[in-house]
Each structure stands twice: as structure tokens, then as C-alpha cells.
Amino acid sequence: MRLIRAKDYQDASRKVANIISAQVILKPDCVLGLATGSSPVGAYQQMIKWCDKGDVDFSQTKTVNLDEYVGLAADHDQSYAYFMRKNFFDGINIDQKNTNLPNGLELDAAKECARYDKVIADLGGVDLQLLGIGANGHIGFNEPAEQFSVGTNRVDLTASTIAANSRFFENESMVPRQAYTMGMMAIMQAKRIVMIATGANKAQAVYDAFCGPVTPQMPASILQLHPDFVLVADEEALSLVGDKL
Ligand code: F6R
């Protein structure tokens, strides 16, 4: 793995935006794997500015998102489909037909997981996958478990993830209890993976994931095995890592 040290969230966001933009410039019809949550928002805002100036062109780019809440329609204001439109897609010149997320309204999990895995396979897999990290080490919604997931799967969100994500909802009881998430196979098959981790509340997860053993109890630790994994992290997120990486 490679570590890129950033000063703070803004610095990390610009660095990640540069890496993603370089990918799109080198291969305009590339497949980007995208994430939601607070971590990637700064990078998305930066790329919207560069796209506006004509520096990056997303017109041929395709995207697959990591996850979606079960039970939320794409136009629900807490769905990840809505989040992506509001925070990124509506601000860039991407063809919305080239953007893909799991369908939270499909309640037949086997059918939806198979459909989404086929979407990813038909695109030829992911060129560059962007990840955040949960405070419990999850990537996508692949929560700590006895085994690593393989394909797209429907997961029960852990209490800590529900609590962490309740900040986006009126109250905790409104947070969906399940989500569809891309599995570890599609994530690990991405040609390059970039993770953005910032803030003190990610320090323990970053330390455990990248300075500890590879274990499904710390899902992000599997990234240690990826041949082209880049961690962009700020000083706070690296506070426990020190010089160990
Ligand atoms: C979101 C996702 C999650 C988040 C993680 C961190 O699509 O896949 O794994 O990246 O929960 O969330 P934030 O960035 O809000 O701290």
C-alpha cells in the first residue's frame, strides 16, 4: 500500500480529487467506483469546480456506487442515489444513464445482488474505487463479520453504523436497518483503490486496518492485500499510526 499524508480534510480532498481526475483524463470512459458519506464530499466539490472550468470531462465516464439503503427510493432525500446527484452528478457533465447504484426498493435480495454484480461485470469491473472507512473499519457497508463478503450482499447495519449515520436523519429510528453493498470481490478487483480517511474518529480504524492483521473483524484490513491501494489520510487520522506505515 501507499500512504499519502495530508494536512487536513481540505488537503486530503484536493489530493483525492487530483487522483480521480487524473484517472478520468487518462481514460475518459473509465469506470469509477464511488462512495457516499462525509469523506468524499470535498473531493466531489473540487471536481465539480474543475469540470466547470473544463479541466475534467466526465461525459464518457461510468460509475458504480458502493451501496444503498434497503427500502429507500432513489428520490428519497436520504437515499444514496439522491446524495450522489446532489453532491456530485448534478454538478458535472456525466450522463446520468452511466451512473449505477443498487436499487433499494428491490426487496428480493438474491435478485438485486445478482443484478448489481452483473452491472459491474458488464462494465468490465472498476478502474478506480474510492472508499471511506467506517469507525468500525467497514468499507462500503461490509461490516465486521466472521468472514469477508464476496459478491454484492444485503447486510444488517451494526448499531454503531446506525448511530453514526443517524446524523443525516431526523432521528436514529429513521435510519434504515439494512443496506445493499458491493462485496469485497468487486472492491478488490478494482484496478486501483483510493481511500480517504480524515479526523480523529478514524484514527483507531486506520491503525487497526493497516498496522494490524488482515481479518474480517476489521474489513478494511483486506486492502493490505491489494496491489495498488492508496491511503490518503490527514494528521488526525494518522495520529495512532505515527511512522509505522
Ligand atoms: C458510503 C460507504 C461507507 C462510508 C463510511 C464512512 O458509501 O461506503 O463505508 O465510506 O461509513 O463514512 P463517512 O465518510 O461519513 O465518515
Side-chain angles (χ1 to χ4, degrees):
M1 67 177 278
R2 260 184 298 169
L3 171 63
I4 297 178
R5 291 175 187 268
K7 214 161 66 64
D8 51 23
Y9 178 74
Q10 209 195 343
D11 186 26
S13 297
R14 282 179 67 88
K15 285 177 162 62
V16 168
N18 267 297
I19 293 168
I20 299 172
S21 299
Q23 169 71 65
V24 174
I25 290 166
L26 286 166
K27 186 179 175 193
D29 62 347
C30 66
V31 179
L32 297 179
L34 298 177
T36 57
S38 306
S39 303
V41 171
Y44 292 156
Q45 284 169 353
Q46 182 62 69
M47 287 189 284
I48 289 170
K49 284 191 197 135
W50 286 336
C51 182
D52 229 28
K53 283 170 56 189
D55 289 345
V56 202
D57 174 7
F58 293 91
S59 60
Q60 297 176 61
T61 306
K62 293 149 197 142
T63 67
V64 283
N65 258 80
L66 282 168
D67 37 24
E68 180 60 282
Y69 287 118
V70 172
L72 298 193
D75 59 359
H76 187 287
D77 64 4
Q78 294 304 336
S79 74
Y80 285 166
Y82 184 91
F83 175 101
M84 288 308 298
R85 287 198 302 279
K86 193 165 115 307
N87 287 288
F88 196 33
F89 298 151
D90 285 350
I92 59 173
N93 64 337
I94 197 162
D95 184 343
Q96 305 269 349
K97 286 199 295 291
N98 287 335
T99 67
N100 298 279
L101 287 97
N103 175 9
L105 284 190
E106 177 55 73
L107 299 181
D108 181 339
K111 185 173 160 202
E112 179 54 17
C113 294
R115 182 196 72 84
Y116 204 58
D117 281 336
K118 186 167 177 333
V119 165
I120 299 166
D122 288 350
L123 288 169
V126 175
D127 288 297
L128 175 64
Q129 177 66 54
L130 174 62
L131 296 176
I133 183 170
N136 64 359
H138 71 211
I139 52 177
F141 272 134
N142 295 287
E143 300 279 28
E146 294 301 313
Q147 291 182 332
F148 287 113
S149 69
V150 180
T152 298
N153 58 103
R154 184 171 65 183
V155 291
D156 295 326
L157 302 181
T158 61
S160 74
T161 298
I162 291 167
N165 289 6
S166 66
R167 68 191 195 274
F168 299 113
F169 291 80
E170 238 168 74
N171 58 59
E172 200 171 308
S173 72
M174 299 183 81
V175 184
R177 270 29 191 180
Q178 291 187 319
Y180 286 117
T181 182
M182 196 188 279
M184 291 302 195
M185 187 163 72
I187 293 174
M188 288 298 282
Q189 284 178 343
K191 292 188 186 75
R192 169 173 284 170
I193 301 177
V194 178
M195 171 180 279
I196 175 166
T198 62
N201 67 326
K202 301 296 172 68
Q204 190 67 52
V206 167
Y207 179 83
D208 291 342
F210 306 119
C211 298
V214 175
T215 162
Q217 299 294 348
M218 178 44 61
S221 64
I222 198 172
L223 299 168
Q224 292 182 39
L225 306 178
H226 192 277
D228 192 354
F229 169 58
V230 183
L231 170 64
V232 180
D234 73 351
E235 286 169 11
E236 287 186 352
L238 291 171
S239 58
L240 299 176
V241 165
D243 294 333
K244 291 194 188 71
L245 284 178

